Amino acid sequence: MVTKRPWRKILYEEQDYPDNYVDRSFLEELRKNLHVCTYDYTTLLFESTSITQQISSIGIFITMFFYMEDHSISAQILWLMMSALTIIGYICNVVLTTWLGQTLSVATFLQHLKTCLLFQGFSATLSPVLVSLTETISTDTIYAMTTVMLFANLLFYNYNCNNHSVPGALSLNAAIFASVCLASRLHTTWHAFTTVTTSFQLFALWPVLRQNIKVSHPRVHTWLTLFVAVICIIGLGSKTIVGAVLYTLIIFLVTFIFPAWFCSLQPQKNNIYGPWDEAVISEPS
């Protein structure tokens, strides 16, 4: 009677077992959900405010376009208002970065001022071109392209941005492209200039301030989200009731329903780990 040698989990030696053989100890190494992070509803609710604010920024941008299109507000006044808010936001951002342990040097301030002046200058120079840029394209096509670009801005936005750079180059480019499309459907060069500069303020500068507020003052970030949402509802409601209702429904789903749904699905997570996984070389500590 021949006794088989004990099976060993090795490949470099010929054994008396088939290649696909495993013993009873194989499943003893099974582990489930080793690296799963469990979230509570409050945390998800707070993190969803970043998405809510980005949707609100798009809603405010569309509202400003409606107001300029039907001459409810002049482009010059809107530009002055947004410029004043940008200056106030820049001062607040400097205070917040100081709060977070970073200081703004004179050289950095001059660089920011130079960038601002160059952008304003290029936008003003190219505004006459933007007004007539898409004359041969139908309005329906322009609106469809704008919708796709704003959706891309929302999709590719870096919601977990922890630095002070623009949160997502692709997202920002999509928003600027959408503003160029809408600017070509307005009346004067001032309208085109205001549309482009406003989009840059909303989608490039405003996210940086929002992120700093979220890191340094979470409670203020929550109240700011509510304030921006109310402003957006009022602005859209004054132009289109359907748009205001649709915006409110989307915000309600994103902020309250989807986090609750995610929490309800967490217990069904079932990731398995075991000896069948690929080997990972661990670096010495």
Side-chain angles (χ1 to χ4, degrees):
M1 183 176 181
V2 180
T3 304
K4 287 186 177 182
R5 292 177 295 175
W7 176 79
R8 295 189 299 166
K9 192 170 60 175
I10 56 176
L11 294 176
Y12 57 83
E13 182 178 302
E14 184 72 23
Q15 300 188 75
D16 300 329
Y17 300 89
D19 293 338
N20 60 349
Y21 175 82
V22 292
D23 62 1
R24 297 179 180 179
S25 65
F26 184 75
L27 291 180
E28 292 178 357
E29 300 181 31
L30 172 67
R31 300 293 182 270
K32 293 184 178 181
N33 299 337
L34 288 179
H35 310 293
V36 174
C37 182
T38 303
Y39 298 95
D40 59 277
Y41 182 70
T42 305
T43 302
L44 294 175
L45 195 65
F46 176 74
E47 294 298 333
S48 68
T49 55
S50 298
I51 306 176
T52 303
Q53 287 192 1
Q54 187 64 17
I55 298 175
S56 300
S57 297
I58 295 176
I60 291 174
F61 177 70
I62 295 174
T63 302
M64 290 180 177
F65 170 76
F66 287 155
Y67 271 84
M68 288 191 293
E69 186 183 33
D70 60 7
H71 301 283
S72 297
I73 186 174
S74 67
Q76 293 89 336
I77 293 177
L78 181 58
W79 179 79
L80 289 174
M81 291 173 53
M82 293 301 297
S83 298
L85 289 175
T86 301
I87 294 173
I88 295 173
Y90 183 82
I91 296 173
C92 294
N93 190 64
V94 171
V95 174
L96 289 175
T97 52
T98 304
W99 178 280
L100 295 173
Q102 300 180 3
T103 57
L104 179 68
S105 63
V106 177
T108 303
F109 171 75
L110 293 177
Q111 182 66 32
H112 291 171
L113 182 60
K114 176 183 176 182
T115 303
C116 176
L117 294 177
L118 285 175
F119 179 79
Q120 296 281 334
F122 277 115
S123 299
T125 304
L126 296 176
S127 293
V129 180
L130 297 179
V131 174
S132 58
L133 184 63
T134 59
E135 285 183 348
T136 58
I137 304 176
S138 65
T139 301
D140 292 340
T141 303
I142 290 296
Y143 288 161
M145 293 168 59
T146 302
T147 302
V148 172
M149 289 299 103
L150 291 178
F151 181 76
N153 170 265
L154 191 64
L155 182 64
F156 295 105
Y157 181 84
N158 184 9
Y159 296 97
N160 196 29
C161 181
N162 294 321
N163 52 29
H164 304 287
S165 61
V166 177
L170 180 58
S171 175
L172 177 60
N173 289 334
I176 298 299
F177 183 82
S179 68
V180 170
C181 291
L182 292 181
S184 64
R185 284 301 177 264
L186 293 175
H187 316 289
T188 64
T189 56
W190 257 107
H191 287 87
F193 172 70
T194 302
T195 303
V196 174
T197 54
T198 299
S199 68
F200 188 82
Q201 291 162 349
L202 283 174
F203 300 112
L205 303 180
W206 172 233
V208 177
L209 177 60
R210 284 188 348 228
Q211 181 63 28
N212 289 334
I213 294 176
K214 181 180 178 181
V215 173
S216 59
H217 298 83
R219 183 171 298 181
V220 176
H221 173 80
T222 303
W223 285 106
L224 181 63
T225 303
L226 179 61
F227 175 76
V228 173
V230 171
I231 292 297
C232 190
I233 292 174
I234 295 174
L236 286 174
S238 63
K239 294 300 178 183
T240 166
I241 300 298
V242 176
V245 172
L246 181 61
Y247 166 81
T248 305
L249 179 61
I250 293 175
I251 291 300
F252 182 76
L253 289 174
V254 170
T255 309
F256 299 101
I257 301 301
F258 290 163
W261 187 21
F262 183 83
C263 285
S264 65
L265 294 177
Q266 284 187 110
Q268 302 183 23
K269 192 75 173 181
N270 189 25
N271 286 351
I272 61 174
Y273 304 86
W276 50 84
D277 292 332
E278 295 182 2
V280 178
I281 301 176
S282 58
E283 297 181 358
S285 56

